[in-house]
């Protein structure tokens, strides 16, 4: 097991390794005294890693916790105020106090939802994250952004609320589908482009899907270290944290316009390519990064030409119109992130009216 400490408004540890679900109770009892704890998971994750006979449930019982469970229907549609309300009602009906806690066992949907419930129940109780997707592990579980979707858009209601501890058992990745691997991989490529070129080399050198032990743990820690450094500098996203949006302006628009047919990871992969190519075309960065990214993504199993064709068929005008509705647009301008070289990205404030032209030059 290896650890990384996050130092923001709260200090907490991320622990990663094989078999952690069996030791989770003991690890959690170091940061939380025995209390009521409610494991939140979706039905898929509960079937795989939760339930009363599971390693996590039993290890919490052994450590003296009074364990409750809440299970919801999988999917982004259920990252909602309704689901959060059900969690809050369960806590209230089970007489959870401010000393009790929540535990998110699942992907980013579960983590965001559970964190939001933790941030709001009695004005804030403690929670632990156990991410089970690669994306949740390298991205969503760290940094304290929690929230739910509103009918008007994704993540429109939320709070910054940091966990007490993040535990990742790398054994849970054995059940990830190819789509789920690609969702995580594109965020790892993003992390490498923003802050660590050696992460990009490591990703290219071996297939993460077949890695185990320290090789896998170290690779994940590299991606986490990039996010940790940024979040520590700018917890509330008023400055450098916006670098984490690299690929996401075009990416979110592609995801939305495809009716979510194109997964988040693939859409962000296409978004990184488009934003890099456009920045090169505009002369903001020297040439080569888009090509390097394209080669790496292809090596990692992304169908790059298909992705760009799909984005092209949506078209720059529709993508720009969709991106303008995104909450990353601040009034008349939008911050775009682009690579200067692997490991170094910059931000550029662009008038929203120029977005269509920007996307067109990247497509
Ligand atoms: N808070 C943040 O900083 C942040 C950052 C990035 C993304 N997010 C959020 O994360 C969400 C996406 O995360 P996600 O892709 O993990 O979504 P998710 O939680 O819906 O998980 C995706 C699917 O994988 C299944 N699953 C989870 N673990 C599994 C496993 N080990 N094996 C097999 N199947 C498994 C789930 O049941 C679900 O069907 C979005 O809502 C996004 O907004 C948040
Ligand atoms: Zn993302």
């Amino acid at each position: 097991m290896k650890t990384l400490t996050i130092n923001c408004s709260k200090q907490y540890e991320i622990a990663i390794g094989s078999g952690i679900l069996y030791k989770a109770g003991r690890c959690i009892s170091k940061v939380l005294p025995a209390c009521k704890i409610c494991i939140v998971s979706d039905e898929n994750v509960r079937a795989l890693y939760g339930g009363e006979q599971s390693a996590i449930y039993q290890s919490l019982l052994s450590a003296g916790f009074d364990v409750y469970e809440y299970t919801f229907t999988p999917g982004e549609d259920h990252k909602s105020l309704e689901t959060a309300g059900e969690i809050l009602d369960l806590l209230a009906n089970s007489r959870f106090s401010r000393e009790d806690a929540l535990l998110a066992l699942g992907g980013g949907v579960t983590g965001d939802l559970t964190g939001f419930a933790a941030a709001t129940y009695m004005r804030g109780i403690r929670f632990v994250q156990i991410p089970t997707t690669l994306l949740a592990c390298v991205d969503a579980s760290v940094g304290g952004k929690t929230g739910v979707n509103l009918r008007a858009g994704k993540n429109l209601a939320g709070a910054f609320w940091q966990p007490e501890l993040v535990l990742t058992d790398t054994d849970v990745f054995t059940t990830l589908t190819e789509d789920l691997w690609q969702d995580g991989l594109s965020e790892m490529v993003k992390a490498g482009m923003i802050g660590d070129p050696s992460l990009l080399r490591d990703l290219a050198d071996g297939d993460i899907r077949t890695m185990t032990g320290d090789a896998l743990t170290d690779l994940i820690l590299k991606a986490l270290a990039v996010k940790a450094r940024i979040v520590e500098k700018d917890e509330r996203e008023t400055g450098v944290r916006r670098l984490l949006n690299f690929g996401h302006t075009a990416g979110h628009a592609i995801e939305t316009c495809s009716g979510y047919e194109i997964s988040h990871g693939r859409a962000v992969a296409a978004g990184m390519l488009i934003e890099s190519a456009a920045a090169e075309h505009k002369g903001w960065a020297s040439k080569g990064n888009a090509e390097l990214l394209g080669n790496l993504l292809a090596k990692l199993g992304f169908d790059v030409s298909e992705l760009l064709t799909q984005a092209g068929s949506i078209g720059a005008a529709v993508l720009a119109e969709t991106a303008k509705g995104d909450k990353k647009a601040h009034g008349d301008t939008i911050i775009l992130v682009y690579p200067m070289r692997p490991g170094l990205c910059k931000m550029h404030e662009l008038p929203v009216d120029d977005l269509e032209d920007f996307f067109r030059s990247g497509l």
Side-chain angles (χ1 to χ4, degrees), residues 228-287:
R229 275 203 315 271
I230 290 176
V231 169
E232 284 170 353
K233 279 194 206 128
D234 177 23
E235 192 172 340
R236 298 258 163 172
E237 196 170 312
T238 52
V240 289
R241 191 165 177 168
R242 295 190 185 130
L243 287 172
L244 294 168
N245 292 329
F246 173 44
H248 282 64
T249 303
H252 274 158
I254 293 167
E255 199 182 355
T256 309
C257 293
S258 77
Y260 298 91
E261 278 292 302
I262 303 178
S263 68
H264 182 74
R266 292 203 179 97
V268 169
M272 290 191 287
L273 288 167
I274 293 167
E275 291 171 16
S276 303
E280 288 175 20
H281 193 262
K282 295 273 167 216
W284 302 348
S286 52
K287 293 216 180 297

Side-chain angles (χ1 to χ4, degrees), residues 42 44-45 48-49 74-76 79 107-110 112 132-133 135-136 139-140 142 145 154-155 172 175-176 180 183 227 241:
D42 70 27
N44 297 337
V45 173
L48 287 165
Y49 304 109
E76 194 66 41
K79 196 173 105 176
V109 163
T110 305
D112 282 8
T132 63
T133 60
L135 178 140
D139 194 352
V142 177
K145 276 193 186 176
K154 273 187 75 173
N155 299 321
V172 302
T175 53
L176 294 181
L180 291 173
D183 283 347
K227 178 144 191 191
R241 191 165 177 168

Side-chain angles (χ1 to χ4, degrees), residues 102-118:
L102 281 165
L103 188 158
L105 174 70
V109 163
T110 305
D112 282 8
L113 178 67
T114 309
F116 181 70

